[in-house]
């Protein structure tokens, strides 16, 4: 779930409470299905309290740390234990996929697969550093951030980031004794765990919720959450448009009536650009694959897969955010047209909501 | 004297009593409790109580859209809940009478 979008719907103390609770569930590794339902319940109450101007301490008390502990008190030891299996599943899935890619790319033939070995020392060191990081954040940094109101949250986030970098550097550079294990054994073990976990998950969900679907994702299918836009993004776009209009109108380059048409034209251009990006990324994948076809179909397919994942990640990272903004811009423009206002007057009226 | 322990026993019965008056939701329950003088409660105290009542089959829950848009949980008392509430009221009355005799007689 995009918690930032929920946070952006709240203001002042209400928003701060939700942020702290989100920080709490992240650091305590509370499972998605539990966390999402509780966050949505709390969000609904905070939104209602904000609408009624009810002081937030009437909802959560004066001690946020105590509130979080009480609010998640039914997240029992059994459920915490189960969340370890989920964490292990993610590690095993990564290990399985990584080992398959490395083994296939290193093998010239099927018989070579059994000869290839992997050093598991880096995996072990990485897991150890990950556990240490989680412990430091959950048991030391988070309680401090709840206590100290004078120190802003970004300071604690920065400290966490520094600790992460240090532990990451240690994991990469500490010389650990090499432990060579045949890759196919790692693939079998991690693959088996993944399969058993998924079967167990299906049975657990069926028993507890009456469905095999992820209960957390069912919440997000509700039209309210699906159509929710990030109010911080909306505000930033409107303020940007307002500043731009002031600059252009000062130079006599645009009138109030013309501004909406200008934004609609730019919107159409952005949509065409998005289609162009998709075509370019698709062509790049194929362009990389064609020269490598002569090396073998298996290697080419593997390369296609890796390129596809890599380019998808780049697309989401750089273009994904732009796409979100484009959708929000489109909705704002449509709302302005529906209200039959000029864009500058619509912006002025809309900014009063934030 | 630990007020928290005293409150813990009473609150569950009070919340069940509020829910028995008609279908309600978390925010409204908090408001009701505040009107009756329970001012230092919050959602953190209320939520575990509601969860216990729900798991025990004393209340049922349905989800519906709130006026502001997000899904809201509405709680109603079950026949088992009504039975347990009557038991709680009888026990509370007995304990209160005995305590009053000791403390205020």
């Amino acid at each position: 779930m995009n918690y930032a979008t929920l946070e952006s719907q709240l203001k002042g103390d209400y928003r701060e409470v939700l942020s702290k609770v989100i920080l709490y569930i992240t650091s305590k590794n509370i499972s998605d299905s539990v966390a999402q339902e509780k966050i949505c319940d709390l969000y609904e109450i905070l939104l209602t309290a904000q609408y009624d101007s009810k002081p937030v301490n009437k909802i959560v008390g004066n001690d946020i740390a105590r509130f979080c502990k009480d609010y998640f008190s039914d997240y029992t030891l059994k459920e915490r234990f189960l969340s370890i299996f989920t964490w292990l599943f993610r590690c095993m899935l990564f290990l399985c996929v990584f080992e398959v890619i490395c083994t296939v790319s290193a093998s010239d033939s099927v018989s070579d697969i059994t000869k290839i070995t992997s050093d598991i020392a880096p995996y072990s060191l990485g897991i150890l550093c990950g556990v240490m990081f989680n412990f430091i954040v959950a048991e030391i940094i988070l309680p401090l951030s709840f206590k100290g109101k004078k120190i802003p949250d970004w300071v604690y986030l920065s400290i966490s980031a520094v600790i992460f970098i240090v532990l990451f550097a240690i994991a990469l550079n500490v010389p650990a004794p090499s432990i060579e294990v045949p890759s196919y054994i790692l693939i079998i073990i991690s693959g088996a765990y993944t399969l058993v976990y998924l079967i167990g998950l299906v049975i657990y969900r069926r028993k507890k919720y009456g469905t095999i679907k992820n209960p957390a994702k069912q919440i997000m299918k509700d039209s309210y959450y699906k159509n929710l836009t990030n109010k911080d993004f909306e505000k930033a776009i409107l303020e940007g448009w307002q500043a731009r209009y002031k600059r252009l109108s000062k130079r006599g380059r645009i009138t109030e009536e013309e501004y909406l048409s200008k934004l609609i034209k730019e919107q159409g251009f952005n949509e065409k650009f998005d289609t162009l990006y998709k075509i370019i990324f698709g062509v790049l994948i194929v362009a990389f694959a064609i020269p490598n076809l002569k090396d073998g179909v298996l290697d080419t397919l593997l390369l296609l897969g890796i390129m596809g994942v890599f380019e998808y990640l780049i697309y989401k990272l750089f273009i994904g955010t732009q796409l979100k903004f484009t959708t929000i811009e489109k909705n704002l423009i449509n709302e302005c047209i529906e209200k039959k206002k000029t864009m500058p007057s619509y912006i002025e009226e809309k900014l009063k909501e934030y | 004297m630990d007020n928290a322990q005293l409150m813990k026993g009473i609150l569950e019965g009070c919340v069940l009593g509020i829910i028995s008056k008609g279908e309600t939701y978390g925010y409204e329950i908090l408001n009701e409790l505040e009107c009756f003088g329970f001012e230092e409660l919050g959602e953190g105290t209320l939520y575990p109580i509601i969860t216990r009542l729900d798991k025990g089959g004393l209340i049922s829950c349905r989800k519906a859209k709130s006026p502001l848009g997000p899904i809201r949980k509405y709680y109603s008392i079950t026949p088992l809940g009504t039975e347990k509430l009557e038991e709680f009221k009888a026990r509370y009355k007995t304990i209160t009478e005995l305590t009053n005799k000791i403390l205020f007689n």
Side-chain angles (χ1 to χ4, degrees):
Chain A
M1 177 200 276
N2 190 343
Y3 292 137
T5 305
L6 287 187
E7 283 179 83
S8 73
Q9 311 301 314
L10 299 170
K11 299 171 195 170
D13 290 343
Y14 307 96
R15 183 170 178 157
E16 199 187 320
V17 162
L18 193 65
S19 301
K20 292 266 190 216
V21 174
I22 290 165
L23 204 61
Y24 181 87
I25 59 171
T26 311
S27 66
K28 294 288 185 185
N29 289 316
I30 292 175
S31 68
D32 275 347
S33 51
V34 170
Q36 283 204 18
E37 189 170 352
K38 290 205 182 234
I39 289 290
C40 288
D41 287 344
L42 179 63
Y43 166 73
E44 189 272 316
I45 286 192
L46 288 172
L47 192 68
T48 309
Q50 179 176 269
Y51 183 78
D52 289 346
S53 304
K54 189 180 188 77
V56 75
N57 64 344
K58 298 282 185 189
I59 307 295
V60 302
N62 295 314
D63 184 348
I64 305 268
R66 167 89 183 271
F67 167 77
C68 287
K69 210 176 163 185
D70 289 341
Y71 194 53
F72 292 98
S73 60
D74 60 340
Y75 187 61
T76 60
L77 200 63
K78 176 187 159 190
E79 277 163 329
R80 281 181 204 277
F81 186 66
L82 288 174
S83 74
I84 293 173
F85 287 113
T86 305
W87 174 80
L88 206 54
F89 159 73
R90 289 175 188 151
C91 295
M92 288 293 173
L93 185 62
F94 170 78
L95 178 67
C96 188
V97 169
F98 189 71
E99 285 298 317
V100 163
I101 291 171
C102 292
T103 306
V104 169
S105 58
S107 317
D108 290 324
S109 66
V110 176
S111 57
D112 285 345
I113 289 174
T114 54
K115 294 171 190 166
I116 292 163
T117 60
S118 285
D119 181 7
I120 62 167
Y123 292 128
S124 313
L125 198 53
I127 288 171
L128 183 64
C129 289
V131 168
M132 278 171 63
F133 175 73
N134 269 333
F135 178 80
I136 293 168
V137 166
E139 304 303 329
I140 300 170
I141 294 177
L142 186 72
L144 283 173
S145 82
F146 277 140
K147 274 184 193 164
K149 248 202 152 172
K150 287 178 188 170
I151 301 172
D153 283 342
W154 68 262
V155 172
Y156 294 107
L157 281 168
S158 304
I159 294 169
S160 304
V162 167
I163 293 170
F164 180 82
I165 291 166
V166 166
L167 287 170
F168 190 69
I170 290 170
L172 285 179
N173 295 299
V174 162
S178 181
I179 308 170
E180 294 290 335
V181 174
S183 293
Y184 74 91
I185 289 182
L186 287 177
I187 292 169
I188 289 170
I189 293 172
S190 55
Y193 180 89
T194 305
L195 195 61
V196 168
Y197 174 86
L198 288 172
I199 293 169
L201 185 66
V202 164
I203 296 169
Y204 174 75
R205 278 185 189 163
R206 186 94 192 146
K207 224 175 164 181
K208 191 163 182 184
Y209 303 108
T211 173
I212 62 170
K213 292 179 185 174
N214 186 340
K217 287 193 178 158
Q218 301 314 302
I219 299 170
M220 290 300 103
K221 284 186 179 173
D222 179 71
S223 59
Y224 173 81
Y225 293 106
K226 256 171 113 171
N227 298 327
L228 214 54
T229 50
N230 190 313
K231 290 231 182 270
D232 292 338
F233 288 174
E234 260 184 20
K235 190 180 170 198
I237 289 167
L238 289 167
E239 284 174 346
W241 281 349
Q242 192 179 53
R244 201 169 149 215
Y245 171 73
K246 280 180 181 165
R247 274 198 315 272
L248 290 171
S249 64
K250 212 173 172 182
R251 290 174 204 166
R253 284 196 189 170
I254 204 160
T255 63
E256 208 174 302
E257 291 74 23
E258 287 168 350
Y259 194 42
L260 177 61
S261 312
K262 184 178 173 59
L263 291 175
I264 291 170
K265 253 188 207 167
E266 285 172 2
Q267 174 68 29
F269 184 69
N270 286 339
E271 281 177 354
K272 283 176 187 156
F273 231 115
D274 174 45
T275 311
L276 188 63
Y277 282 136
K278 283 176 185 160
I279 294 169
I280 289 170
F281 277 107
V283 165
L284 279 173
I285 291 172
V286 173
F288 266 108
I290 290 171
N292 291 293
L293 269 169
K294 60 180 189 314
D295 294 336
V297 175
L298 198 62
D299 279 346
T300 309
L301 285 173
L302 187 63
L303 184 67
L304 268 173
I306 294 169
M307 286 303 303
V309 168
F310 186 64
E311 290 194 8
Y312 176 73
L313 289 172
I314 293 176
Y315 178 81
K316 282 296 259 189
L317 190 65
F318 292 104
I319 315 299
T321 309
Q322 174 60 34
L323 284 177
K324 275 184 197 159
F325 271 83
T326 307
T327 310
I328 295 171
E329 284 172 358
K330 197 174 177 179
N331 291 338
L332 289 170
I333 287 170
N334 287 339
E335 197 180 44
C336 178
I337 294 169
E338 270 171 40
K339 289 190 172 180
K340 293 183 181 154
K341 287 180 176 276
T342 61
M343 184 48 86
S345 60
Y346 166 76
I347 292 170
E348 214 174 298
E349 189 188 302
K350 189 84 179 164
L351 280 172
K352 288 175 189 167
E353 288 177 18
Y354 303 104
Chain B
M1 295 265 173
D2 190 356
N3 280 338
Q5 287 302 315
L6 187 65
M7 289 293 277
K8 206 175 166 183
I10 294 167
L11 269 177
E12 232 174 84
C14 290
V15 169
L16 196 59
I18 289 170
I19 295 173
S20 72
K21 290 179 190 172
E23 191 180 62
T24 185
Y25 50 97
Y27 184 76
E28 200 172 60
I29 296 171
L30 274 175
N31 281 342
E32 278 279 303
L33 288 166
E34 198 186 345
C35 283
F36 281 109
F38 289 102
E39 287 194 344
E40 287 176 14
L41 296 176
E43 173 70 352
T45 312
L46 182 66
Y47 199 97
I49 291 174
I50 288 177
T51 306
R52 273 198 300 277
L53 292 173
D54 192 13
K55 280 185 177 168
L58 306 188
I59 59 175
S60 61
C61 171
R62 74 171 179 97
K63 293 178 187 178
K65 272 202 179 306
S66 63
L68 293 175
I71 297 287
R72 177 183 278 170
K73 287 178 179 169
Y74 291 88
Y75 304 103
S76 310
I77 197 163
T78 61
L80 178 63
T82 307
E83 198 186 305
K84 293 292 177 189
L85 179 62
E86 293 310 311
E87 284 174 22
F88 171 79
K89 282 180 183 173
R91 268 201 318 272
Y92 180 77
K93 196 176 173 195
T94 310
I95 291 170
T96 315
E97 278 168 4
L98 293 172
T99 314
N100 284 342
K101 276 183 195 170
I102 296 167
L103 295 178
F104 303 109
N105 208 348

